[in-house]
Short mmCIF file of all heavy atoms in Angstrom, two decimals:
data_model
loop_
_atom_site.label_atom_id
_atom_site.label_comp_id
_atom_site.label_asym_id
_atom_site.label_seq_id
_atom_site.Cartn_x
_atom_site.Cartn_y
_atom_site.Cartn_z
N TYR A 1 126.48 24.34 -89.47
CA TYR A 1 127.20 23.41 -90.33
C TYR A 1 126.66 22.00 -90.13
O TYR A 1 126.31 21.61 -89.00
CB TYR A 1 128.69 23.40 -90.00
CG TYR A 1 129.46 24.64 -90.34
CD1 TYR A 1 129.89 25.52 -89.35
CD2 TYR A 1 129.77 24.95 -91.67
CE1 TYR A 1 130.61 26.66 -89.66
CE2 TYR A 1 130.48 26.09 -91.99
CZ TYR A 1 130.91 26.94 -90.99
OH TYR A 1 131.62 28.07 -91.30
N LEU A 2 126.62 21.23 -91.21
CA LEU A 2 126.33 19.81 -91.13
C LEU A 2 127.65 19.05 -91.17
O LEU A 2 128.52 19.34 -91.99
CB LEU A 2 125.47 19.37 -92.31
CG LEU A 2 123.96 19.47 -92.10
CD1 LEU A 2 123.23 19.35 -93.43
CD2 LEU A 2 123.48 18.40 -91.13
N VAL A 3 127.80 18.07 -90.27
CA VAL A 3 129.03 17.29 -90.20
C VAL A 3 128.68 15.81 -90.21
O VAL A 3 127.52 15.43 -90.22
CB VAL A 3 129.85 17.67 -88.94
CG1 VAL A 3 130.26 19.13 -89.00
CG2 VAL A 3 129.05 17.39 -87.66
N ASP A 4 129.71 14.98 -90.23
CA ASP A 4 129.57 13.52 -90.29
C ASP A 4 128.72 13.13 -91.50
O ASP A 4 127.54 12.81 -91.39
CB ASP A 4 128.97 12.95 -89.01
CG ASP A 4 129.15 11.44 -88.93
OD1 ASP A 4 129.59 10.83 -89.93
OD2 ASP A 4 128.87 10.85 -87.87
N LEU A 5 129.35 13.14 -92.67
CA LEU A 5 128.66 12.93 -93.94
C LEU A 5 128.75 11.49 -94.44
O LEU A 5 128.46 11.22 -95.59
CB LEU A 5 129.22 13.90 -94.99
CG LEU A 5 129.31 15.37 -94.57
CD1 LEU A 5 129.89 16.21 -95.71
CD2 LEU A 5 127.96 15.91 -94.12
N ASP A 6 129.14 10.57 -93.56
CA ASP A 6 129.38 9.19 -93.98
C ASP A 6 128.13 8.50 -94.50
O ASP A 6 128.21 7.61 -95.35
CB ASP A 6 129.96 8.37 -92.83
CG ASP A 6 131.30 8.90 -92.35
OD1 ASP A 6 132.04 9.46 -93.18
OD2 ASP A 6 131.60 8.77 -91.15
N ALA A 7 126.96 8.86 -93.96
CA ALA A 7 125.72 8.16 -94.34
C ALA A 7 125.03 8.80 -95.54
O ALA A 7 123.95 8.34 -95.93
CB ALA A 7 124.76 8.14 -93.15
N MET A 8 125.62 9.81 -96.16
CA MET A 8 124.96 10.47 -97.28
C MET A 8 124.73 9.52 -98.44
O MET A 8 125.55 8.66 -98.72
CB MET A 8 125.79 11.67 -97.75
CG MET A 8 125.75 12.86 -96.81
SD MET A 8 126.40 14.38 -97.56
CE MET A 8 125.01 14.85 -98.60
N ALA A 9 123.60 9.72 -99.09
CA ALA A 9 123.24 8.87 -100.24
C ALA A 9 122.12 9.57 -101.00
O ALA A 9 121.48 10.49 -100.49
CB ALA A 9 122.76 7.50 -99.76
N LEU A 10 121.89 9.12 -102.23
CA LEU A 10 120.69 9.53 -102.95
C LEU A 10 119.51 8.81 -102.31
O LEU A 10 119.46 7.58 -102.31
CB LEU A 10 120.81 9.19 -104.43
CG LEU A 10 121.87 9.96 -105.21
CD1 LEU A 10 121.91 9.50 -106.65
CD2 LEU A 10 121.62 11.46 -105.13
N ASP A 11 118.58 9.56 -101.75
CA ASP A 11 117.53 8.92 -100.97
C ASP A 11 116.28 9.78 -100.98
O ASP A 11 116.25 10.89 -101.52
CB ASP A 11 118.01 8.69 -99.53
CG ASP A 11 117.40 7.45 -98.90
OD1 ASP A 11 116.24 7.13 -99.22
OD2 ASP A 11 118.08 6.79 -98.08
N ASP A 12 115.25 9.23 -100.35
CA ASP A 12 113.97 9.90 -100.22
C ASP A 12 114.14 11.13 -99.32
O ASP A 12 114.66 11.02 -98.21
CB ASP A 12 112.99 8.91 -99.58
CG ASP A 12 111.56 9.39 -99.56
OD1 ASP A 12 111.33 10.62 -99.60
OD2 ASP A 12 110.66 8.53 -99.47
N PRO A 13 113.69 12.31 -99.77
CA PRO A 13 113.80 13.49 -98.90
C PRO A 13 113.04 13.35 -97.59
O PRO A 13 113.36 14.01 -96.60
CB PRO A 13 113.21 14.62 -99.75
CG PRO A 13 112.38 13.94 -100.79
CD PRO A 13 113.08 12.65 -101.06
N ALA A 14 112.07 12.45 -97.54
CA ALA A 14 111.30 12.24 -96.32
C ALA A 14 112.16 11.69 -95.18
O ALA A 14 111.79 11.82 -94.01
CB ALA A 14 110.13 11.29 -96.59
N LEU A 15 113.31 11.09 -95.51
CA LEU A 15 114.19 10.57 -94.46
C LEU A 15 114.75 11.70 -93.62
O LEU A 15 114.59 11.73 -92.39
CB LEU A 15 115.32 9.75 -95.09
CG LEU A 15 116.45 9.32 -94.16
CD1 LEU A 15 115.94 8.45 -93.02
CD2 LEU A 15 117.53 8.58 -94.95
N ASP A 16 115.42 12.68 -94.24
CA ASP A 16 116.00 13.81 -93.51
C ASP A 16 114.92 14.67 -92.87
O ASP A 16 115.03 15.09 -91.71
CB ASP A 16 116.84 14.68 -94.44
CG ASP A 16 118.18 14.08 -94.79
OD1 ASP A 16 118.62 13.14 -94.11
OD2 ASP A 16 118.81 14.57 -95.76
N VAL A 17 113.87 14.95 -93.63
CA VAL A 17 112.84 15.86 -93.14
C VAL A 17 112.09 15.22 -91.97
O VAL A 17 111.83 15.87 -90.95
CB VAL A 17 111.87 16.23 -94.28
CG1 VAL A 17 110.69 17.04 -93.74
CG2 VAL A 17 112.60 17.04 -95.34
N GLY A 18 111.75 13.95 -92.10
CA GLY A 18 111.02 13.28 -91.03
C GLY A 18 111.78 13.23 -89.73
O GLY A 18 111.24 13.49 -88.65
N ALA A 19 113.08 12.90 -89.80
CA ALA A 19 113.89 12.84 -88.59
C ALA A 19 113.98 14.22 -87.94
O ALA A 19 113.89 14.35 -86.71
CB ALA A 19 115.29 12.31 -88.92
N THR A 20 114.16 15.25 -88.75
CA THR A 20 114.26 16.61 -88.22
C THR A 20 112.96 17.04 -87.54
O THR A 20 112.97 17.57 -86.42
CB THR A 20 114.61 17.60 -89.35
OG1 THR A 20 115.85 17.19 -89.95
CG2 THR A 20 114.76 19.01 -88.82
N LEU A 21 111.85 16.80 -88.20
CA LEU A 21 110.56 17.21 -87.64
C LEU A 21 110.26 16.45 -86.35
O LEU A 21 109.87 17.04 -85.34
CB LEU A 21 109.44 16.99 -88.66
CG LEU A 21 109.46 17.89 -89.90
CD1 LEU A 21 108.32 17.52 -90.84
CD2 LEU A 21 109.37 19.36 -89.49
N TRP A 22 110.41 15.15 -86.37
CA TRP A 22 109.97 14.32 -85.23
C TRP A 22 110.80 14.58 -83.99
O TRP A 22 110.28 14.61 -82.88
CB TRP A 22 110.03 12.85 -85.63
CG TRP A 22 109.38 11.92 -84.65
CD1 TRP A 22 108.04 11.80 -84.38
CD2 TRP A 22 110.03 10.95 -83.84
NE1 TRP A 22 107.82 10.81 -83.46
CE2 TRP A 22 109.03 10.27 -83.11
CE3 TRP A 22 111.36 10.56 -83.67
CZ2 TRP A 22 109.31 9.24 -82.22
CZ3 TRP A 22 111.65 9.54 -82.79
CH2 TRP A 22 110.65 8.88 -82.07
N TRP A 23 112.09 14.76 -84.18
CA TRP A 23 112.96 14.94 -83.03
C TRP A 23 112.95 16.37 -82.49
O TRP A 23 113.13 16.57 -81.28
CB TRP A 23 114.39 14.55 -83.38
CG TRP A 23 114.69 13.09 -83.19
CD1 TRP A 23 114.27 12.28 -82.17
CD2 TRP A 23 115.45 12.26 -84.06
NE1 TRP A 23 114.73 11.01 -82.35
CE2 TRP A 23 115.46 10.96 -83.50
CE3 TRP A 23 116.15 12.48 -85.25
CZ2 TRP A 23 116.13 9.89 -84.09
CZ3 TRP A 23 116.82 11.41 -85.84
CH2 TRP A 23 116.80 10.14 -85.26
N TYR A 24 112.73 17.36 -83.34
CA TYR A 24 113.05 18.73 -82.90
C TYR A 24 111.95 19.76 -83.05
O TYR A 24 112.12 20.89 -82.59
CB TYR A 24 114.31 19.22 -83.65
CG TYR A 24 115.44 18.23 -83.52
CD1 TYR A 24 115.98 17.59 -84.62
CD2 TYR A 24 115.95 17.92 -82.26
CE1 TYR A 24 117.00 16.66 -84.50
CE2 TYR A 24 116.97 16.98 -82.12
CZ TYR A 24 117.48 16.36 -83.25
OH TYR A 24 118.48 15.43 -83.11
N TYR A 25 110.81 19.43 -83.65
CA TYR A 25 109.77 20.43 -83.84
C TYR A 25 108.42 19.91 -83.34
O TYR A 25 108.07 18.75 -83.58
CB TYR A 25 109.63 20.79 -85.33
CG TYR A 25 110.79 21.61 -85.85
CD1 TYR A 25 111.80 21.01 -86.58
CD2 TYR A 25 110.86 22.97 -85.60
CE1 TYR A 25 112.88 21.75 -87.05
CE2 TYR A 25 111.93 23.73 -86.07
CZ TYR A 25 112.94 23.11 -86.79
OH TYR A 25 114.00 23.85 -87.24
N PRO A 26 107.63 20.79 -82.71
CA PRO A 26 106.26 20.40 -82.39
C PRO A 26 105.46 20.28 -83.68
O PRO A 26 105.75 20.95 -84.68
CB PRO A 26 105.76 21.56 -81.53
CG PRO A 26 106.61 22.73 -81.93
CD PRO A 26 107.95 22.16 -82.29
N GLU A 27 104.43 19.45 -83.67
CA GLU A 27 103.72 19.14 -84.91
C GLU A 27 103.07 20.38 -85.53
O GLU A 27 102.89 20.43 -86.75
CB GLU A 27 102.68 18.06 -84.67
CG GLU A 27 102.09 17.51 -85.95
CD GLU A 27 101.34 16.21 -85.77
OE1 GLU A 27 101.27 15.71 -84.64
OE2 GLU A 27 100.81 15.71 -86.78
#
């Protein structure tokens, strides 16, 4: 589940994807 939706907005998909990749996946 995804929680804490306060920061949601129409935005560049690179924001969510970049944070996920950089913090949690090897390149």
Side-chain angles (χ1 to χ4, degrees):
Y1 290 108
L2 271 165
V3 298
D4 195 351
L5 310 180
D6 299 329
M8 287 193 77
L10 293 178
D11 212 327
D12 188 336
L15 171 60
D16 285 344
V17 173
T20 302
L21 291 178
W22 191 69
W23 273 319
Y24 308 117
Y25 288 100
E27 191 165 359

